[in-house]
Amino acid sequence: MSSQANSILQSDLDSSPLLLPAKVLRSDAQALQAARELADVAREQAARRDQQRKLPWAEIEQFTRSGLGSITVPKAHGGPDVSFATVAEVFRIISAADPALGQIPQNQVGILHLLRVTASEAQQALIYRSVLDGWRIGNAGPERGTKDTLTLKARITRHGDGYRISGEKFYSTGALFAHWVAVKALDDEGRQRLAFIRRGSPGLRIVDDWSGFGQRTTASGTVLLDQVPVDADLVIDNWRQRDLPNIQGAASQLVQAAIDAGIAEAAIDDAITFVRQYSRPWIEAKVERASDDLYVIAEIGRLKLELHAAQALLAKAAQVLDEVNAEPIDATAAARASIAVAEAKVLTTEIALQASEKLFELAGSRATLAEFNLDRHWRNARVHTLHDPVRWKYHAVGAYHLNGTLPTRHSWI
């Protein structure tokens, strides 16, 4: 690592107006407590933020200051490196309060894990240290108008001792809130590289133009790059990931599943509350309260059972990741982790969509009024679960168990 890179990093840490001191949590219990405290705060204005598309700046700052941003930093680099079971639970707790707040840092978890696979020791030390000090990492990987999610138009080219990056990104969750913008681009040899670009770098522009009807306050919009300079020490050989057995994709998907589980939990809780407080019983039920309607009771029971099943598979998937991560990872172990998470992702997707839609059938027409904004649960579930198609999870799980086929290795499996 060059002394120039270190000195720039330190000056940025000292001068950034967005950077506040961050705790370093030391245990899984502390991480869970920090998540519960954040959820209590975030829940209060989550519905209003969604209605007004008001970004959760204060809540993201609390996330960072509490130490939650660095819970996956390895112990060798000064972090707590909490279990995957705790990671899943942290994001489930936060997302039950506000799933946008869960999604904003989701890519940071995946990127921090990716560093273990593809970054040099010096690069790991630099990025991990910055995250412990309160830096946030945003995503600038996907692009619009390409053949598929893996196809990139952005280019990174040599320029003197460093590089220049040009391109246009979208679905850039976390970038607007970030100190590091992690940009994927192809080099002159057509290999994928990952560059860490500092907030405020010349030629870097982040646009809050996310207009999705769900996850409205994630600012998952556009990143524009026009010959943005980047130090050579901050460019990762991301292409090496495909050649090395790893669980980076499974780790990323675990967080996605936890967010969906949180959405489902909140939708069911709001359905129960609304039925108890506002709903009128159907005339043929011949009961005084909607909560005494036999069919409503049965449907709530079914939703709770399916939620608990999804939560159980989520916990099992996290346990598998912890087991696999404790040993040297080969292709078989990596596949086991990916399939376990895929199974959980299927159920968390389905219950998030079912619960957020069933809410209105059980609660009645009054629940559709704008003053309650209960449609945010379905909008959030529908948008967030589109990150990757569940139909391909079924295929991956079936091919694995029936024919022993190992799943493709990428960030969506």
Side-chain angles (χ1 to χ4, degrees), residues 2 15 34 61 173 313-314 336 346-347 354 363 368 393 396 402 410:
S2 69
S15 64
E61 290 293 349
T173 304
L313 273 191
L314 180 66
R336 178 180 169 230
V346 168
L347 290 198
Q354 290 171 13
T368 67
K393 303 294 185 189
L402 182 62
H410 54 62

Side-chain angles (χ1 to χ4, degrees), residues 71-213:
I71 59 174
T72 59
V73 171
K75 286 184 170 64
H77 290 275
D81 200 12
V82 302
S83 67
F84 283 108
T86 294
V87 171
E89 187 68 359
V90 162
F91 277 87
R92 184 197 64 78
I93 290 169
I94 293 172
S95 298
D98 183 352
L101 187 58
Q103 184 181 343
I104 289 167
Q106 73 179 23
N107 289 299
Q108 179 163 315
V109 174
I111 291 168
L112 289 177
H113 199 86
L114 177 66
L115 293 177
R116 304 184 188 212
V117 182
T118 59
S120 68
E121 282 292 329
Q123 289 171 328
Q124 290 178 21
L126 175 60
I127 302 299
Y128 289 144
R129 181 68 259 167
S130 71
V131 171
L132 289 168
D133 287 337
W135 282 45
R136 291 186 289 270
I137 302 174
N139 175 53
E143 301 177 6
R144 289 192 288 189
T146 56
K147 174 186 175 183
D148 53 40
T149 306
L150 293 176
T151 303
L152 300 177
K153 295 180 180 179
R155 292 294 183 268
I156 179 169
T157 57
R158 272 287 183 181
H159 187 90
D161 294 333
Y163 291 90
R164 292 287 187 273
I165 297 183
S166 292
E168 182 174 333
K169 302 290 185 174
F170 197 63
Y171 307 111
S172 303
T173 304
L176 190 68
F177 305 91
H179 304 88
W180 291 117
V181 180
V183 180
K184 291 180 181 178
L186 299 182
D187 65 14
D188 293 334
E189 299 178 45
R191 301 175 303 181
Q192 187 184 110
R193 313 292 288 278
L194 181 68
F196 284 81
I197 298 176
R198 297 177 182 84
R199 183 183 188 87
S201 294
L204 172 66
R205 184 182 173 206
I206 303 171
V207 184
D208 181 18
D209 59 351
W210 173 245
S211 61
F213 61 70

